[in-house]
Amino acid sequence: MSSMLAQSVSLIAFPCLLSAAAGAQGFVALTAPLGVPSVPHSTTDNGAGVAVADFDGDGDLDLVVAPASGQAFAMFRNDGGMHFTDVSAASGLGTLTVPRCVAAADVDNDGDQDLFVGRHLQPPRLFVNDGAGHFTDQAVARGLVGADDTYAATFGDYDRDGWLDLYLGNHFNAAGSGPAANRLYHNLGNGVFADVTVGAGLTTVRATQAAAFFDFDEDGWPDLLEVNDRGTVFGANELWRNDGDGTFSPVAAQYGAAAAIDGMGIDFVDVFNDGGVDFFCTDDPVDHLFQLWNPGSGSYTNATATYGLQGGATGWACNFLDYDNDGWQDLHVVHQTFPNFMLRNPGAAAAAQVPWPNTTGALGLGLLYPQFTAAIGDFDDDGRLDIVQRFSSASTPPAPVGLALYRNQVAAGNWLRFRTEGTVGNRDGLGARIEVQTGTRRQRQWVRSGVGYVSSSDRRVHFGLGTAAIADRVTVTWPSGQKQYLTNVPANQTVLLREPRLTVAGPVPVGGSTTITASLPGDHGLDYLMVMALSANVGIPLPDGAVIPIDYDMLTTVTLGPNVLLPGSVGVLDANGAASSAVNIPPFPFLSGWTLYATVLTLDQPAFPYARTVMAKALPVPIL
């Protein structure tokens, strides 16, 4: 069957598929007033993206659509219930030529989502949000310059200083004669960037089309994965290990990840709920690429054929999502001139090698229009993940509209969703690992950026729970290294995770006082112990592997019981998980210039035999 005939057959069948999907509770394409108003098709070669985020801070997901070249951005405010208002004219985003990737992130830690836009051989844009969904381009003022062919943008805090850095994946140079260098921008603070590519050792030049920060070896330092086009000509995919000192080392060959493919999109997750960070890349025919982490060898294995995840067509965006909330991550794949796939995770152990069935036809997602990208998010907050499909004018016949919102109406299980707010690390919590335990099942996901292809999906982390009505335990590992626990969390809600923090009001003068405050959300009502020490070089190890981050000494002994120095050292956290204590320094002049160190821990036996929350770092308390 010719390509044109196949497309014609698909178009004839498409209304029938939608009708069948509606009856079978699949995905249904919505039109305004339910769904977003019509926008022109993307005209950028190889597509331009969309960004899904709460841009105006009202709690639901809005949508920014990169325009057809030379036209205006489209921005749609979510008014709830799948009703959207076109606020493009007031957004400040304006018009743009040849846009490619869009990525939402809070670059200045002010609590709202800013927007980066990469372009084809044109200067990038960094639209800074005023908090109400109005934007101002500040790219040049904030150090983002150049005119690269930028396909990929991923945010992550590679040096763990609490500010989001930016890595850009570039494709070809201006002459079109070969690949262009990628760029790593270090956030110097408050969203001002400096190009540190060379100093970081990221000097390999390949035709990158997707990139993501992810901690493949789970040592706490965000690594980088590049997915490269024309791998047999310009170089394979590259895995950059973060060395923890501001530099990266190329280790793809060492870890079995140096696949020479025509890579386009990427996403990663713990696919089989068995530990390890697995990832999927889209590719040209005849294959895609699924890399399974092998804990025995400590490396990646190409398991594409093992689980029936081959493509058979040119693939672009790919996104993991649990569309039916059964507790297993499924996979949506966009194909350029072939029906899209929804590959359903059968929920079997990796060792069973059960192939994943393609459920797109039954779900109404077997689209066959010119398309490069899609994005994921729950736009009506009903606990089922929806899909934004962005269509292109790259070939014929085009889709009836340039963009469509496909509402998930699958009969699905229970769910939990998490929104992260860093207080010590980056405000978005990008890079945080969240583990949800229900019975014997342990699911793990990360707050991630750069996944998919040229688009930015909802950064909230969504877990299906199946029939479980409660998550027994939620474990959060923040980019700072801080661990946080929640227990007996009821299903079917969005939970705000705020990073635990210990702060001091300021330096304390000899003979004076200051205040230490602990904020441990989720630990409300628990007994706490606040202690101090003269040093924090080694720490006090606990039998479960946690380390209390001070050295046990005379001062620790004093503050363990009733004392004048730290009178609130023992107590019960309030309803917000907070407690505070004065720090009273004796009037001894020789104490000037000393630094004391404080920490706090909570007790929750028998669930946590030793301690529940243990601070990752000690708090310095300088004496003036």
Side-chain angles (χ1 to χ4, degrees), residues 101-154:
C101 62
V102 291
D106 185 357
V107 302
D108 48 9
N109 281 352
D110 66 350
D112 55 46
Q113 293 294 288
D114 309 301
L115 190 70
F116 173 86
V117 182
R119 305 167 70 193
H120 173 63
L121 302 177
Q122 298 289 325
R125 295 286 186 263
L126 180 62
F127 293 104
V128 176
N129 192 343
D130 69 354
H134 306 125
F135 297 88
T136 305
D137 177 24
Q138 300 180 17
V140 174
R142 293 176 180 263
L144 298 181
V145 295
D148 300 313
D149 188 17
T150 302
Y151 276 73
T154 180

Side-chain angles (χ1 to χ4, degrees), residues 502 516 518 528-536 540 548-563 565-571 581-583 596-602 614-615 617-621:
L502 187 64
I516 294 176
Y528 74 85
L529 181 63
M530 193 180 295
V531 292
M532 302 187 78
L534 299 172
S535 62
I540 306 168
I548 301 173
I550 58 170
D551 301 332
Y552 192 92
D553 56 27
M554 176 183 64
L555 183 58
T556 311
T557 302
V558 170
T559 55
L560 275 172
N563 67 97
L565 175 67
L566 193 67
S569 61
V570 177
S581 175
V583 179
L596 307 182
Y597 296 88
T599 191
V600 66
L601 53 87
T602 60
V614 177
M615 301 308 294
K617 298 178 181 178
L619 174 70
V621 182

Side-chain angles (χ1 to χ4, degrees), residues 473-559:
R473 181 177 295 187
V474 176
T475 304
V476 187
T477 304
W478 293 89
S480 63
Q482 180 63 53
K483 283 188 177 292
Q484 181 180 19
Y485 301 93
L486 286 76
T487 54
N488 301 319
V489 183
N492 304 323
Q493 61 169 323
T494 299
V495 178
L496 172 62
L497 296 173
R498 185 173 286 118
E499 184 178 13
R501 189 177 188 184
L502 187 64
T503 58
V504 61
V508 56
V510 169
S513 64
T514 189
T515 302
I516 294 176
T517 300
S519 175
L520 309 175
D523 285 10
H524 50 278
L526 293 180
D527 294 331
Y528 74 85
L529 181 63
M530 193 180 295
V531 292
M532 302 187 78
L534 299 172
S535 62
N537 300 316
V538 179
I540 306 168
L542 297 177
D544 61 359
V547 177
I548 301 173
I550 58 170
D551 301 332
Y552 192 92
D553 56 27
M554 176 183 64
L555 183 58
T556 311
T557 302
V558 170
T559 55

Side-chain angles (χ1 to χ4, degrees), residues 1-17 339 366 368-369 397:
M1 182 182 292
S2 71
S3 174
M4 183 61 72
L5 178 58
Q7 291 177 342
S8 299
V9 171
S10 177
L11 288 174
I12 293 170
F14 184 63
C16 298
L17 284 175
L368 203 165
Y369 298 121

